[in-house]
Each structure stands twice: as structure tokens, then as C-alpha cells.
Amino acid sequence: MYALTHLASEEMENPLLPPMPELIIGLIAFLIVFGFLGKKLLPNINKVLEERRAAIEGGMEKAEAAQAEAQQVLEDYRAQLADARHEAARLRQEAQEQGVALIAEMRSEGQRQREEIIAAGHAQVEADRKSAAAALRQDVGQLAIDLAGKVVGESLTDAGRQSRTIDRFLDSLEVKAADETKAEARR
């Protein structure tokens, strides 16, 4: 029975440990597969990973460059927009100033023309008044001579005498009119 237990104890020693020849063959096969993978497959995998990394980094650099360029274009656009706004404001201000100057110039021109028209009107009125006064003086004088000739009963046909008589009569009328105007002004 001892032999049976010994035989059974040898077989039951450690079920997790494989027999030694299988362990050596498995180790050699593992080293061959590991060496093959290390020599042939690992460089290809590293190469593909490096290419991917370079592509990703290049894409990121391109994206960053594009973003920086877009930012610069945006800043340029904003600067141009600000310049355009300043230019528009300046043009509006100049237009307003020109409008104010034009209005002032037109007002002064209108004022000058109005004064010219008024002066011409006054001159015309004065000329018409003098003309009317002369005509009236002549008519009144002729009427006065005719009336005086009828009152006196003789003809006053002498031109010098007529002129002096007319002047005296009109002067006396002007003095009376001036006295009446003064009297009314005092009241």
C-alpha cells in the first residue's frame, strides 16, 4: 500500500506545474514567437503609430495655424470696420459743417439781396416822391397862379413872377405843415 500511496503522491504533487519537458518546449516556442514579433511586427507597428502621431500633430499644427490666420483676418476686419466707421463719422461731420456754412452763406446772400432790394425800393420811392412833389408843385403852382389871376383880376403870365409866387406859396404851405406836425408831436 505504501507504494500505491507513493505513486499517487508523486502524481498528485502539484497539478499546476506542468511536466518539465513540456515547460521547456513551451518556453522555446514562446521565445521564438516573441523574437519573431519583436523583429518583424513591432517595427511595423511603431512605424504606423509614428506616422499617425505625425499626422495628428501636423493636423493640429495646421488647425492652429488656420485658427491664428482666421483670428488675424478677424482683427484686420474689425480694424477696417473701425476705420470705416471713423471715416463715415468724419464725413458726416464735414457734411454738417459744410451744410451749416452753406446755410450761413445763403442767409448772408439773402440778407444782402434783401438790403439791395430795400435800398433800390427806397431809392425808387424817393425818386417817385421827388417826381410827384415836382409835378404836384408845378400843378399846384399853376392852379395857384390861375386862382390868383382870377382873384386879382389880372393875368400873371410873367414866368419869373409866376415862379416866385409859386415858391412863396408852397414854402408857406410847407411851414404850416411842419408847424402842425410839431404841434401834434408835442401832444
Side-chain angles (χ1 to χ4, degrees), residues 106-122:
M106 289 298 178
R107 280 187 181 154
S108 66
E109 179 65 21
Q111 185 72 16
R112 185 189 61 78
Q113 288 178 355
R114 183 183 71 113
E115 289 172 3
E116 286 177 2
I117 291 170
I118 290 173
H122 284 303

Side-chain angles (χ1 to χ4, degrees), residues 6-78:
H6 184 53
L7 187 58
S9 73
E10 274 185 27
E11 286 182 16
M12 297 196 55
E13 274 189 31
N14 194 355
L16 293 177
L17 278 177
M20 191 56 90
E22 285 180 22
L23 190 58
I24 292 174
I25 292 172
L27 186 60
I28 292 172
F30 176 76
L31 289 175
I32 291 171
V33 170
F34 187 73
F36 174 75
L37 289 176
K39 293 278 184 194
K40 294 287 184 184
L41 198 57
L42 191 58
N44 287 339
I45 291 174
N46 284 337
K47 181 180 173 186
V48 169
L49 288 176
E50 186 63 30
E51 287 174 357
R52 266 196 181 165
R53 187 185 61 73
I56 290 171
E57 286 178 359
M60 288 175 59
E61 289 173 1
K62 286 179 185 176
E64 288 173 359
Q67 185 177 9
E69 184 178 346
Q71 186 66 29
Q72 182 63 34
V73 168
L74 180 63
E75 290 174 6
D76 290 346
Y77 170 73
R78 286 182 179 161

Side-chain angles (χ1 to χ4, degrees), residues 157-172:
T157 56
D158 182 20
R161 192 182 296 170
Q162 283 181 359
S163 178
R164 285 190 302 273
T165 305
I166 291 171
D167 287 340
R168 256 194 334 255
F169 177 71
L170 291 177
D171 288 341
S172 69

Side-chain angles (χ1 to χ4, degrees), residues 144-150 152 154-159 161-162 165:
I145 288 175
D146 290 343
L147 184 61
K150 288 182 183 178
V152 173
E154 67 181 67
S155 174
L156 300 173
T157 56
D158 182 20
R161 192 182 296 170
Q162 283 181 359
T165 305

